[in-house]
């Protein structure tokens, strides 16, 4: 073990090092403020320190387990083994007096400089020793990334030559960098926890699909890429007392907890009305309009339908559309058309609306897609482009199962979505 060394230099050299440190901190501020993904943050941070402060750098993230998420070398020609990244052996318990510098860093010590090559006895220490033997040994600078009295990650910076002693000013710089990185990691951790809770709550509100003889079903929910709030997108399939399945896909205005609560309330009201009244879809939605006038301040769009027939009879999709995007009917050969009939105003705008019904017979092997706006809307793009894109990708997966069709559409159309996506596919056997 060695203390930080200082070497004398001219006033000009000291000033240049100070300016270099300030530039590094300015770049770090931009890097740490550009992402809320812990792995991405640490990878960018590791790249920032090489070659300015080290010949190579490794970044670890401490969550349920310790994960090595980034290894950056100054020489782009160096081939990094594929197995460098991943979960490391659990340090249980972390020993502050361990001979392994990594364990001491995870215990909260640092930043400190390490040059001793003593044998590490723990599995974590051996993994760290193998890493340094692979990429080159020398002087190691270990920097814990802390916030709220816990270690959230760490940087190991290695200088493989002895002509770059570690100075006190560099340790001060790394301490400042570690403080900023720890706060950024803590923000990313809290954001991830909030996002996961919101998504789990949203999924809990969506029902399991029934096993129907008349039709094959598949449904997907994909949360917005950059949003931690729950939303009002939903789907529902329920078998009515007369044996006909009722199908709904809708979207309540807003993107917060209130919208999710309103979505659950609207879904339950629609289920109750459909169960108690054996009426056409337009009549059910008209009853729902009346209830929303008194029990909700939100508006919503929805397609509500009954599936009639099956079991040897032609399968008919009987629907009404309250301001929602039209369902897409995709035939076995990939040809498709939007079902634009039965369209009327959205729910919750008041008034005694005389809604329209529409019917279409589903050919054998045809697939009907119902979806919410997150699938087709993109900021700064005309909606026609999104609808054309949907038809093109639906044709590409027309011969696949409903599950494969939904997965294929999401893989091609959800990446740049700024809103939640609900997708429901019905396949006529």
């Amino acid at each position: 073990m060695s203390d930080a060394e200082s070497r004398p230099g001219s006033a000009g050299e000291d000033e240049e090092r100070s300016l270099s440190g300030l530039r590094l901190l300015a770049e770090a501020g931009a890097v740490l403020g550009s992402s809320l993904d812990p792995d991405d943050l640490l990878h960018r941070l590791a790249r920032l320190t090489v070659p300015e402060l080290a010949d190579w750098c490794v970044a670890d993230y401490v969550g349920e387990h310790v994960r090595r998420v980034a290894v950056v070398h100054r020489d782009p020609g160096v081939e990094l083994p594929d197995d460098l990244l991943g979960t490391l052996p659990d340090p249980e318990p972390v020993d502050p007096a361990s001979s392994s510098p990594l364990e001491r860093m995870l215990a909260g010590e640092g930043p400190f400089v390490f040059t001793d090559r003593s044998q590490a006895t723990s599995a974590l220490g051996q993994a760290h020793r193998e890493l340094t033997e692979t990429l080159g040994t020398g002087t190691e600078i270990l920097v814990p990334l802390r916030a709220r009295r816990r270690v959230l990650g760490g940087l190991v910076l290695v200088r493989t030559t002895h002509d770059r002693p570690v100075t006190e000013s560099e340790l001060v710089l790394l301490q400042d960098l570690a403080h900023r990185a720890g706060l950024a990691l803590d923000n990313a951790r809290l954001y991830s926890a909030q996002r996961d809770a919101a998504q789990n709550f949203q999924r809990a509100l969506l029902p399991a699909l029934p096993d129907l003889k008349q039709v094959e079903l598949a449904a997907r929910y994909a949360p917005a890429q950059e949003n931690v709030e729950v939303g009002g997108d939903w789907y529902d399939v329920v078998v009515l007392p007369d044996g006909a399945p009722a199908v709904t896909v809708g979207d309540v205005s807003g993107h917060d907890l209130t919208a999710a609560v309103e979505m659950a309330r609207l879904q339950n009201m629609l289920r109750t009305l459909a169960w108690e009244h054996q009426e056409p879809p337009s009549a059910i939605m008209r009853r729902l309009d009346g209830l929303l006038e008194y029990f909700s301040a939100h508006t919503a769009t929805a397609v509500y339908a009954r599936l009639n027939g099956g079991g040897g009879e032609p399968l008919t999709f009987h629907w009404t559309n309250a301001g929602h995007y039209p369902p897409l009917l995709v035939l076995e050969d990939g040809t498709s058309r939007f079902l634009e009939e039965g369209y009327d105003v959205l729910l919750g705008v008041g008034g005694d609306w005389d809604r329209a019904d529409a019917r279409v017979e589903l050919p054998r092997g045809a697939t009907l897609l119902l979806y919410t706006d997150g699938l087709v809307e993109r900021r700064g793009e005309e909606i026609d482009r999104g609808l054309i894109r949907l038809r093109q990708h639906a044709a590409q997966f027309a011969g696949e199962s409903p599950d494969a069709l939904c997965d294929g559409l999401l893989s091609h159309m959800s990446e740049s979505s700024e809103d939640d996506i609900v997708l429901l596919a019905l396949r006529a056997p």
Side-chain angles (χ1 to χ4, degrees):
M1 178 71 63
S2 70
D3 295 325
E5 303 174 27
S6 61
R7 56 180 176 186
S10 67
E13 290 175 339
D14 292 340
E15 183 178 354
E16 177 59 32
R17 281 196 294 269
S18 297
L19 290 174
S20 177
L22 290 174
R23 284 194 297 267
L24 183 66
L25 288 177
E27 291 180 40
V31 164
L32 296 173
S34 62
S35 176
L36 285 170
D37 178 74
D39 289 15
D40 184 48
L41 280 174
L42 287 172
H43 191 271
R44 296 187 187 197
L45 188 61
R47 290 184 64 86
L48 191 65
T49 62
V50 176
E52 183 74 24
L53 296 172
D55 295 314
W56 60 271
C57 176
V58 59
D60 298 326
Y61 179 66
V62 181
E64 262 186 69
H65 305 281
V66 179
R67 289 189 298 111
R68 185 182 296 148
V69 300
V71 178
V72 178
H73 201 285
R74 70 178 301 163
D75 185 356
V78 173
E79 293 188 9
L80 302 177
D82 294 335
D83 60 352
L84 280 184
L85 304 182
T87 303
L88 298 175
D90 284 328
E92 293 183 355
V94 176
D95 184 4
S98 170
S99 60
S100 164
L102 187 60
E103 285 195 43
R104 293 175 57 186
M105 180 187 71
L106 294 176
E109 183 178 347
F112 64 94
V113 181
F114 187 87
T115 57
D116 189 7
R117 295 287 159 264
S118 60
Q119 284 287 343
T121 57
S122 68
L124 184 64
Q126 291 173 0
H128 178 67
R129 184 177 179 84
E130 291 172 3
L131 176 67
T132 57
E133 289 175 349
T134 300
L135 298 182
T137 59
T139 301
E140 299 179 25
I141 313 168
L142 292 101
V143 188
L145 308 178
R146 295 181 290 251
R148 300 177 188 268
R149 300 183 181 180
R150 60 179 290 185
V151 177
L152 301 175
L155 295 177
V156 179
L157 301 97
V158 180
R159 297 178 177 181
T160 57
T161 60
H162 297 287
D163 59 350
R164 298 178 64 189
V166 182
T167 66
E168 289 288 349
S169 61
E170 286 177 325
L171 285 183
V172 172
L173 172 66
L174 285 170
Q175 196 163 12
D176 193 348
L177 189 64
H179 175 70
R180 300 181 186 207
L183 293 177
L185 279 179
D186 192 46
N187 287 337
R189 179 183 63 84
L190 294 173
Y191 173 87
S192 296
Q194 184 180 359
R195 180 189 59 196
D196 292 344
Q199 292 176 6
N200 291 336
F201 177 70
Q202 180 84 9
R203 288 190 172 95
L205 294 177
L206 298 174
L209 294 177
D211 185 12
L212 301 180
K213 296 180 180 179
Q214 302 99 317
V215 66
E216 299 174 50
L217 296 173
R220 295 292 185 272
Y221 164 70
Q225 300 298 311
E226 300 296 335
N227 206 314
V228 299
E229 298 284 357
V230 291
D233 297 41
W234 93 94
Y235 65 82
D236 195 14
V237 180
V238 59
V239 180
L240 301 177
D242 61 359
V247 177
T248 313
V249 164
D251 186 4
V252 173
S253 60
H255 210 288
D256 52 23
L257 182 60
T258 303
V261 171
E262 287 297 322
M263 175 268 284
R265 179 187 299 175
L266 191 150
Q267 178 186 10
N268 288 329
M269 285 193 291
L270 185 55
R271 272 194 169 198
T272 302
L273 291 172
W275 185 269
E276 291 184 349
H277 304 279
Q278 306 302 303
E279 297 176 332
S282 60
I284 299 298
M285 293 291 261
R286 188 175 178 182
R287 290 181 183 273
L288 184 60
D289 268 325
L291 290 177
L292 293 179
E293 190 173 353
Y294 295 98
F295 295 109
S296 177
H298 281 65
T299 58
T301 67
V303 172
Y304 170 70
R306 286 172 53 97
L307 286 172
N308 300 314
E313 298 181 7
L315 188 63
T316 301
F317 184 70
H318 181 191
W319 83 98
T320 190
N321 187 337
H324 201 76
Y325 280 106
L328 179 65
L329 179 62
V330 186
L331 304 184
E332 277 186 301
D333 63 2
T335 58
S336 62
R337 75 176 181 93
F338 287 106
L339 305 182
E340 298 179 350
E341 303 85 354
Y343 187 87
D344 217 314
V345 297
L346 68 166
L347 294 162
V349 296
D352 190 13
W353 300 103
D354 189 11
R355 295 186 176 275
D357 283 291
R359 293 178 177 81
V360 66
E361 185 177 317
L362 301 183
R364 292 179 59 183
T367 303
L368 194 62
L369 294 173
L370 294 91
Y371 52 93
T372 54
D373 53 6
L375 188 67
V376 293
E377 288 185 358
R378 297 294 179 270
R379 182 177 297 178
E381 178 184 84
E382 292 185 1
I383 187 57
D384 287 347
R385 294 182 63 85
L387 296 173
I388 291 172
R389 190 164 52 243
L390 174 58
R391 292 187 66 174
Q392 291 172 339
H393 291 308
Q396 180 181 350
F397 297 100
E400 305 288 342
S401 68
D403 280 304
L405 173 61
C406 288
D407 291 336
L409 288 175
L410 288 181
S411 68
H412 285 77
M413 299 187 65
S414 64
E415 184 175 352
S416 57
S417 175
E418 298 176 346
D419 200 355
D420 295 350
I421 296 173
V422 156
L423 183 59
L424 180 63
L426 301 85
R427 169 73 53 81

